[in-house]
Every structure is written in C-alpha cells, then in structure tokens.
Amino acid sequence: MIKVVAKHSIKEGRLEEFLPIAKKLVEETNKKDAGCIRYEMYQDLSNPLIVTVIEEWESDAALDAHMKAAHFQDLIPKIGELCEKPADINLYKLLF
C-alpha cells in the first residue's frame, strides 16, 4: 500500500477557480482509477489557500496508472496554473 500527501499552495484570489477542477479530479479518480483505495482533498484550517490531497493506493503500479490516466493528464496542468509553486508531494509506505 502507498500513501501520497500532495500539498498545494493556491495563488491569492484563485481558490474559486481551483476548487471545481480539483473536485473533478477527486471524482474522476475515485470513479475510474483501479487500485485507488482513497483519494480525498482537504483544506487547511488556518490557511484556506493550502489544499492537500491525501491518497491511498493498492500498489506502485496503480499509482503509476493514475498518473497516466487521461483525467490526471488533463486536470493537473490546470491545477498547476492556479498554484504559487509545484505541489509538495511525499510518498509513504506502511511500517507498522
């Protein structure tokens, strides 16, 4: 099992554009991507311009397929344009 934490810093004044695109990514991923256990988006309580995706995948192969999926390839560049910098992405494996 692989966990992914992807933290996005949204540009000032662009959150309202970001949210529907991000929602579509979450919906499409949960509906279409085999091996997706969980794909959720959270907003920071102290800074609403910080939005983090927390993902759980059955395998590396499932995560790789997700990143090659049409919806991912279409929506991630749009999300990137609305962010101050590239997402801070960390991958985790279960230890205990």
Side-chain angles (χ1 to χ4, degrees), residues 3 20-21 24 41 46 55 58 60-61:
K3 292 237 185 197
I21 297 167
K24 183 175 182 182
M41 195 161 293
S46 62
E55 312 170 28
E58 290 178 358
D60 289 330

Side-chain angles (χ1 to χ4, degrees), residues 54-66:
I54 300 176
E55 312 170 28
E56 190 172 353
W57 297 92
E58 290 178 358
S59 65
D60 289 330
L63 177 57
D64 288 342
H66 162 66

